[in-house]
Amino acid sequence: MDISVVIPLYNEEESLPELFAWIERVMSANGFSYEVIFINDGSADRSWQIIEQLQAKSNAVRGIKFRRNYGKSPALYCGFEQAQGDVVITMDADLQDSPDEIPELYRMITEEGYDLVSGWKQKRYDPLPKTLPTKLFNATARRVSGIKNLHDFNCGLKAYRNAVVKNIEVYGEMHRYIPYLAKNAGFKRIGEKVVHHQARKFGKTKFGGWNRFFNGYLDLISLWFLSTFGIKPMHFFGLLGSLMFFVGLVAVIIVGASKLYDMNHGMPYRLVTDSPYFYLSLTSMIIGTQLFVAGFLGELISRNAPERNKYQIEKMI
């Protein structure tokens, strides 16, 4: 199979028939063998019924229905698991991504040798509360990830070599950082293509601007830490813990030495335990010790949880 199109969706009943008809026209015009995998992320409207109707008319349609809303990353994870095409295309279901971009994205993967090609919506029709956080987010992501040639990390329209989606794990809200995940997995041929961005035709955006930015910032810190120190966490927590313990130890010695100095020179002195610096020093030593043994355990346990990517799937077609 040439292409798998993976489409996560939430309450997009109006756009689905038009979107699939558009994809179908593009695939037929270019002679591609393909499948379209719709992942219904707990929609409360008739999205699943529309997917079933499309599947009854075309064998190219496949569907996954979640029992509840999990989010875009879990939807992509399950879609990637099922994808069979040599090239995997992801796009949003709101008709803001153009299927006309598919042939060129496919060519860049198969002929130019890219592992991943990310779309760049150079001219956007989103409102300012969404575009401004996006610009800040992308600038931060470029800096942290070291992928300098991408302007839009979170563009829903992307193309992947099949091996990429089978060797990365998208969980939580990490769909924003798929290029970074691919780079960490060893897929370094990452390119970008300017794509057409259309104004939303039905409904309204399902994602808030500033909330998405702050959540994305926290996820980026987590991903940076795991990619940098995930295999060797003691390099981070050991250094920080050692510094805090050393500072606390030096402070305790200074407090004790100052008392001994005053005693030996007949000057008035007070008990070590009467000094607030003693307790601050002790606290610093305790925290430094705890960083050695507990600071990174929560993230590592979460990362290795066996059921982290287990989702309740009600139906598959």
Side-chain angles (χ1 to χ4, degrees), residues 25-317:
R25 287 196 303 272
V26 171
M27 297 299 186
S28 298
N30 290 273
F32 292 133
S33 57
Y34 70 100
E35 63 181 354
V36 181
I37 306 173
F38 292 103
I39 303 94
N40 181 27
D41 187 22
S43 297
D45 63 0
R46 296 184 63 257
S47 293
W48 182 250
Q49 287 84 348
I50 300 297
I51 293 169
E52 288 182 320
Q53 291 171 13
L54 293 173
Q55 199 275 334
K57 296 176 182 177
S58 173
N59 292 329
V61 174
R62 301 175 63 193
I64 298 172
K65 182 184 180 184
F66 287 168
R67 289 189 181 276
R68 66 173 180 85
N69 179 253
Y70 285 103
K72 191 171 185 178
S73 290
L76 288 174
Y77 174 82
C78 292
F80 288 164
E81 270 198 329
Q82 298 299 317
Q84 301 175 35
D86 295 333
V87 174
V88 178
I89 307 283
T90 58
M91 62 172 54
D92 294 334
D94 54 13
L95 293 173
Q96 290 189 281
D97 295 332
S98 171
D100 289 334
E101 307 284 356
I102 290 176
E104 179 60 17
L105 290 170
Y106 177 82
R107 189 194 67 79
M108 292 177 73
I109 296 291
T110 57
E111 295 183 16
E112 296 187 23
Y114 285 105
D115 296 314
L116 185 156
V117 178
S118 182
W120 175 24
K121 296 172 182 177
Q122 197 170 20
K123 183 179 180 181
R124 301 185 68 98
Y125 293 93
D126 290 324
L128 187 62
K130 186 175 179 181
T131 55
L132 186 57
T134 296
K135 290 182 181 295
L136 294 172
F137 157 76
N138 284 309
T140 305
R142 281 194 298 272
R143 179 81 174 181
V144 173
S145 69
I147 306 175
K148 306 294 185 183
N149 63 320
L150 292 191
H151 293 83
D152 191 356
F153 277 70
N154 197 29
C155 178
L157 186 57
K158 289 184 173 67
Y160 314 79
R161 193 178 302 280
N162 185 280
V164 175
V165 302
K166 300 301 184 183
N167 286 280
I168 61 173
E169 184 183 13
V170 188
Y171 64 95
E173 295 187 25
M174 291 297 179
H175 60 273
R176 301 180 179 97
Y177 306 108
I178 287 180
Y180 195 8
L181 292 171
K183 178 186 174 185
N184 289 338
F187 299 99
K188 298 181 180 179
R189 289 276 294 161
I190 298 173
E192 183 175 68
K193 180 187 183 301
V194 175
V195 297
H196 179 61
H197 184 226
Q198 303 184 124
R200 173 177 276 274
K201 190 172 182 179
F202 303 104
K204 59 182 181 179
T205 181
K206 310 299 190 298
F207 304 100
W210 290 104
N211 181 59
R212 181 179 65 163
F213 172 72
F214 289 122
N215 289 341
Y217 172 73
L218 295 175
D219 287 337
L220 182 59
I221 292 176
S222 176
L223 184 56
W224 168 80
F225 174 79
L226 289 172
S227 64
T228 308
F229 300 105
I231 300 176
K232 45 189 180 185
M234 204 58 182
H235 288 200
F236 176 81
F237 288 103
L239 176 61
L240 191 58
S242 297
L243 288 174
M244 291 197 69
F245 186 88
F246 180 73
V247 169
L249 180 62
V250 170
V252 166
I253 292 173
I254 291 174
V255 170
S258 63
K259 177 188 174 181
L260 292 175
Y261 179 84
D262 292 340
M263 289 175 62
N264 291 333
H265 289 79
M267 294 189 294
Y269 63 90
R270 60 180 179 175
L271 296 174
V272 169
T273 53
D274 288 340
S275 171
Y277 297 109
F278 172 75
Y279 294 102
L280 290 172
S281 304
L282 214 57
T283 301
S284 179
M285 294 174 67
I286 292 171
I287 292 175
T289 303
Q290 288 178 330
L291 282 171
F292 269 91
V293 295
F296 56 88
L297 291 182
E299 185 65 45
L300 293 181
I301 291 172
S302 173
R303 183 172 173 78
N304 292 290
E307 296 190 355
R308 182 179 59 194
N309 269 319
K310 184 177 180 180
Y311 307 108
Q312 293 294 322
I313 296 174
E314 183 177 346
K315 287 183 181 180
M316 290 184 67
I317 57 176

